[in-house]
Amino acid sequence: EQESQNGDYDHKSNISFHNHLHILDVFQLGCCLIQRNINKLYKLNEVDIFTYLITLILHDIGHIGLTNKDHIDKNICICKNDSSDDDSTSTMYSYSNEESQNELGHITFGFYLIQKHKIRINKILYGKIIAYTDLEVQQSFLKKHLMYNPFHGNQISNETVQENVLVLFMKLSDIGHIIRPWNVHLQFVINLNKERTNKLSFDLLVDDTITFNETFVLPLIEIIRELNIGLYTTLIKYYMTNINKWIFIKNVIKMSTK
């Protein structure tokens, strides 16, 4: 939704990576993940599922192409919209860190649109899903919410864990473009590098891409193994196909510099 004429926030088309194409990519993958596992999320109601879907669209609303570190360095501060008397509105930020300026902004700007259009959501779940897209808290999320064998015979018996599966799907959809076809994935990598304050040379970009995916994306895919082995098999095949291409490129670069 675009409301720039009124000075409101939208997905900026002039941003190299965090633009409409990224949102469409995330939304499509996020829908596929929940569709493939919907029978296991039986404790979530229609509002929770809808909240997840609307969050896929709004998770990067208002992004201006800066990292959280960039926000801090440039002294750009996002103010939370916690002036409401509604406890659930203030609790919407309970999973956020003050350093997570991008995520705070996405929660705030997206909720403004949700309120404006009188859309009913689970506010706490909405804030939680967006808050955990901050990669700085990924290890905390994995340890606290998912790494205690929550899946019993491929069934999820706890409502909170089911919500955390939605967070998992959001996170994988957000950063998992390595499972896309190579040309699509490569373009996303290039676009993200264009958005960096300090752009990487190609050899460093190759190393960075390999490290990023092994550190952040692969652990998310490995969790899918416990939830849906068939889906895991598909995802890991696509992942390994593209990561091996990056490793091949890295080796070619290494050989050419000898």
Side-chain angles (χ1 to χ4, degrees):
E1 175 155 347
Q2 203 155 352
E3 305 198 359
S4 55
Q5 290 182 347
N6 297 324
D8 295 325
Y9 301 93
D10 59 7
H11 294 108
K12 308 297 183 186
S13 59
N14 63 327
I15 300 299
S16 299
F17 178 81
H18 291 95
N19 54 36
H20 293 80
L21 289 178
H22 171 64
I23 298 305
L24 291 172
D25 179 69
V26 170
F27 183 72
Q28 192 272 342
L29 180 54
C31 288
C32 288
L33 289 173
I34 196 170
Q35 189 274 332
R36 289 286 296 269
N37 296 278
I38 194 66
N39 62 318
K40 301 182 177 89
L41 300 173
Y42 57 91
K43 291 204 171 184
L44 300 179
N45 56 46
E46 291 182 356
V47 173
D48 293 334
I49 300 298
F50 178 75
T51 298
Y52 165 76
L53 295 175
I54 204 73
T55 304
L56 291 171
I57 299 172
L58 296 177
H59 80 280
D60 271 337
I61 192 77
H63 205 296
I64 58 174
L66 298 178
T67 65
N68 285 327
K69 183 179 183 303
D70 291 334
H71 276 270
I72 294 172
D73 291 344
K74 295 176 183 293
N75 199 28
I76 302 173
C77 182
I78 303 297
C79 297
K80 296 186 291 187
N81 180 24
D82 55 4
S83 58
S84 172
D85 293 332
D86 185 349
D87 286 341
S88 64
T89 299
S90 58
T91 310
M92 182 172 68
Y93 295 98
S94 60
Y95 293 93
S96 303
N97 294 323
E98 292 299 327
E99 295 81 12
S100 304
Q101 288 295 298
N102 272 321
E103 289 70 32
L104 286 172
H106 305 329
I107 293 170
T108 300
F109 304 154
F111 190 61
Y112 161 77
L113 292 175
I114 288 169
Q115 285 184 307
K116 178 176 180 179
H117 295 284
K118 298 180 173 59
I119 299 172
R120 183 185 172 211
I121 64 164
N122 178 335
K123 293 182 236 182
I124 299 174
L125 178 60
Y126 162 78
K128 178 179 182 179
I129 293 174
I130 294 181
Y132 278 114
T133 60
D134 182 359
L135 294 177
E136 290 295 323
V137 299
Q138 171 154 320
Q139 292 306 314
S140 166
F141 170 74
L142 296 180
K143 290 177 181 178
K144 184 187 298 184
H145 296 296
L146 284 171
M147 302 304 286
Y148 52 90
N149 194 24
F151 310 121
H152 304 284
N154 279 351
Q155 293 298 316
I156 311 170
S157 57
N158 182 283
E159 183 175 348
T160 300
V161 174
Q162 292 202 8
E163 289 185 357
N164 292 333
V165 171
L166 297 183
V167 177
L168 170 66
F169 291 166
M170 173 75 254
K171 290 174 64 60
L172 183 56
S173 300
D174 189 26
I175 63 174
H177 50 80
I178 193 171
I179 67 175
R180 297 298 196 182
W182 170 255
N183 61 321
V184 176
H185 165 56
L186 178 60
Q187 190 59 58
F188 277 131
V189 171
I190 293 171
N191 289 347
L192 185 56
N193 193 43
K194 289 179 181 177
E195 201 175 279
R196 295 175 191 266
T197 303
N198 299 307
K199 298 173 180 56
L200 299 177
S201 61
F202 185 70
D203 57 332
L204 292 179
L205 181 62
V206 172
D207 285 340
D208 181 78
T209 301
I210 294 171
T211 300
F212 177 87
N213 282 282
E214 290 179 345
T215 303
F216 293 106
V217 181
L218 183 57
L220 300 177
I221 295 176
E222 288 298 332
I223 294 174
I224 300 289
R225 183 204 297 265
E226 300 298 322
L227 176 63
N228 186 327
I229 187 63
L231 178 60
Y232 165 78
T233 301
T234 300
L235 296 179
I236 199 66
K237 179 183 73 172
Y238 293 147
Y239 172 88
M240 292 307 301
T241 297
N242 283 339
I243 201 71
N244 285 336
K245 288 183 179 180
W246 285 113
I247 293 172
F248 174 78
I249 293 171
K250 178 179 179 177
N251 291 334
V252 169
I253 294 173
K254 186 184 298 184
M255 291 294 293
S256 67
T257 56
K258 285 186 177 181

